[in-house]
Amino acid sequence: MATQRILDFLATRRPNGPCLVVDLDVVRDNFRAFEKALPDSKIYYAVKANPAPEILRLLASMGSSFDTASVAEIEMAMDAGAPAERISFGNTIKKERDIQRAYELGIRLFAVDCVEEVEKIARVAPGARVFCRVLTDGEGAEWPLSRKFGCVPAMAVDVLRRAKALGLDAYGVSFHVGSQQCDLTAWDRALGDARRVFATLAEEGIVLRMVNMGGGFPTRYLKDVPAAQAYGQAIFEALSKHFGNQIPETIIEPGRGMVGNAGVIKSEVVLISKKADNDNVRWVYLDIGKFGGLAETMDEAIRYPIVTAHDGGEVAPCVLAGPTCDSADVMYEKTPYPLPLSLTIGDEVLIEGTGAYTTTYASVAFNGFEPLRAYVI
Ligand SMILES: *Cc1c(COP(=O)(O)O)cnc(C)c1O
């Protein structure tokens, strides 16, 4: 949502061109809400959601840990003040020399989802802790992470067994229930799988100690979403159900849920037109689109709330598109977006809930448009 601080910033600074404005007060509130909802879990902020230094510094100062996907993200988290013990290398797909570099920087916690990755880690990061990611069905998520990451639970047993044999610390199991996950039972299914991996390995004397419950916590877009407290409750109940009174250490890795609602993009209507006189759907072209930071509109997956100065008046369905010369740069067409009839060329609009997965998804200079500028206030 556009907070008063964001509105004041836009009114006084009048920044030119499309830009994202992030309110750190909202990030602070989100971090505290996660702490309160899951008091026994460590929070590893997923840096990829928004790596702005101001956000990383705030979270580091509040005691957050960080889930990173590359050496560059590790360095960003360290520059923000996070010690190596509070950083995990959570990408399951890593070059061996990057694992080595991370190890040199002091990183000791690594994600894997196959024996081949375990072997890389054993070669260059001796003794490191590894957790194995298991597949989830992603059901209920608006931005599912599909089959790219993780392995079936039975294979996770082999992967962790191999880790142990190679002298690594077989530390635990991770999963990600899919991003923008609004089904509170998704964690229950995944925790059941995790529990079975724990039990099988325990029979061989390999005692796992940690479950990384990933991200997936939603941001409110057009529909209401359950609050952090509801997720905390559902997750705690699932942990108790599967692990009884032997609940392991747990980690959560919120990205979207930490920063999504903290940011608003200011954009401008460049053109409103029709393709034929008798069309009843207008085309509205903004100065930002899929290549300017709104990549999550791919397949119309994420539908952002759009605020205009004409809200409350009569609306009509519009196709919403970006400014570039690529015909893929159309955000909403299959399900047209209702916008006020009185919206005109040159109007500013606010695209809400854009604090996550926007700046880093912007192309560098496609058609000469500069990457999305961000102001963190
Ligand atoms: C992207 C990612 C996250 C963050 O996911 P959200 O749905 O944005 O909370 C967490 N963990 C891992 C491993 C990720 O890749």
Side-chain angles (χ1 to χ4, degrees):
M1 304 306 106
T3 61
Q4 197 55 49
R5 292 182 72 222
I6 292 177
L7 295 174
D8 290 347
F9 175 87
L10 287 171
T12 53
R13 289 282 295 273
R14 313 265 349 125
N16 220 340
C19 63
L20 169 70
V21 188
V22 175
D23 185 342
L24 283 179
D25 284 351
V26 180
V27 180
R28 189 178 295 112
D29 290 347
N30 289 339
F31 183 81
R32 292 212 176 109
F34 280 119
E35 274 187 322
K36 192 155 171 272
L38 286 153
D40 298 320
S41 296
K42 274 204 201 128
I43 301 172
Y44 281 66
Y45 171 58
V47 171
K48 74 171 185 290
N50 191 326
E54 299 89 339
I55 294 174
L56 301 184
R57 278 199 295 270
L58 169 72
L59 292 173
S61 77
M62 294 181 82
S64 185
S65 297
F66 296 87
D67 165 50
T68 65
S70 63
V71 171
E73 283 191 352
I74 290 169
E75 287 171 342
M76 284 187 247
M78 291 183 128
D79 287 347
E85 312 85 74
R86 283 205 260 137
I87 299 172
S88 75
F89 201 162
N91 192 344
T92 51
I93 304 151
K94 303 173 285 300
K95 289 178 179 165
E96 190 164 318
R97 59 180 179 276
D98 289 345
I99 298 169
Q100 183 165 12
R101 179 75 190 123
Y103 189 78
E104 286 163 6
L105 288 169
I107 307 304
R108 294 291 179 272
L109 185 56
F110 296 86
V112 295
D113 65 0
C114 61
V115 162
E116 292 78 359
E117 193 74 10
V118 163
E119 286 168 355
K120 287 186 206 168
I121 294 173
R123 280 194 291 270
V124 294
R129 291 176 163 178
V130 295
F131 57 87
C132 185
R133 182 155 167 181
V134 293
L135 283 166
T136 63
D137 57 24
E139 218 132 296
E142 282 172 36
W143 191 262
L145 298 167
S146 78
R147 290 179 56 79
K148 181 168 175 184
F149 313 101
C151 60
V152 297
M155 184 179 271
V157 169
D158 298 334
V159 169
L160 289 164
R161 188 187 288 129
R162 182 89 182 121
K164 166 97 181 177
L166 291 175
L168 296 170
D169 180 357
Y171 187 41
V173 173
S174 76
F175 56 80
H176 193 302
V177 293
S179 202
Q180 188 69 9
Q181 175 58 265
C182 294
D183 177 3
L184 293 174
T185 66
W187 280 266
D188 177 73
R189 279 173 276 145
L191 283 167
D193 286 342
R195 166 64 196 162
R196 281 184 284 281
V197 177
F198 269 62
T200 309
L201 285 169
E203 286 166 18
E204 307 171 18
I206 299 176
V207 182
L208 304 180
R209 304 169 338 263
M210 191 277 293
V211 180
N212 176 342
M213 304 186 290
F217 307 95
T219 280
R220 186 184 191 286
Y221 296 113
L222 291 168
K223 279 175 265 158
D224 268 329
V225 296
Q229 202 58 42
Y231 284 85
Q233 183 73 28
I235 288 171
F236 180 74
E237 281 165 16
L239 277 167
S240 305
K241 171 175 144 193
H242 296 292
F243 289 92
N245 58 5
Q246 291 193 303
I247 295 180
E249 292 167 42
T250 54
I251 282 176
I252 54 168
E253 300 175 326
R256 188 187 306 277
M258 190 74 85
V259 292
N261 66 341
V264 170
I265 285 173
K266 183 220 49 149
S267 171
E268 178 182 327
V269 177
V270 181
L271 180 66
I272 302 178
S273 62
K274 287 186 171 184
K275 302 294 169 189
D277 284 336
N278 58 355
D279 270 357
N280 52 14
V281 174
R282 292 175 301 162
W283 281 66
V284 173
Y285 301 89
L286 301 179
D287 62 0
I288 185 170
K290 265 192 192 142
F291 299 98
L294 301 179
E296 287 199 314
T297 58
M298 214 184 290
D299 297 329
E300 309 194 11
I302 300 291
R303 273 176 97 75
Y304 295 106
I306 298 174
V307 175
T308 77
H310 308 281
D311 291 351
E314 203 185 331
V315 297
C318 301
V319 173
L320 197 68
T324 68
C325 298
D326 190 311
S327 59
D329 192 8
V330 176
M331 294 177 282
Y332 306 121
E333 182 175 17
K334 265 184 272 149
T335 310
Y337 202 102
L339 286 170
L341 275 172
S342 49
L343 190 71
T344 50
I345 293 171
D347 281 351
E348 279 186 1
V349 301
L350 297 180
I351 309 173
E352 297 190 322
T354 41
Y357 304 120
T358 51
T359 49
T360 42
Y361 270 154
S363 65
V364 173
F366 181 42
N367 278 160
F369 294 111
E370 59 176 288
L372 181 60
R373 251 175 310 130
Y375 301 92
V376 181
I377 58 172

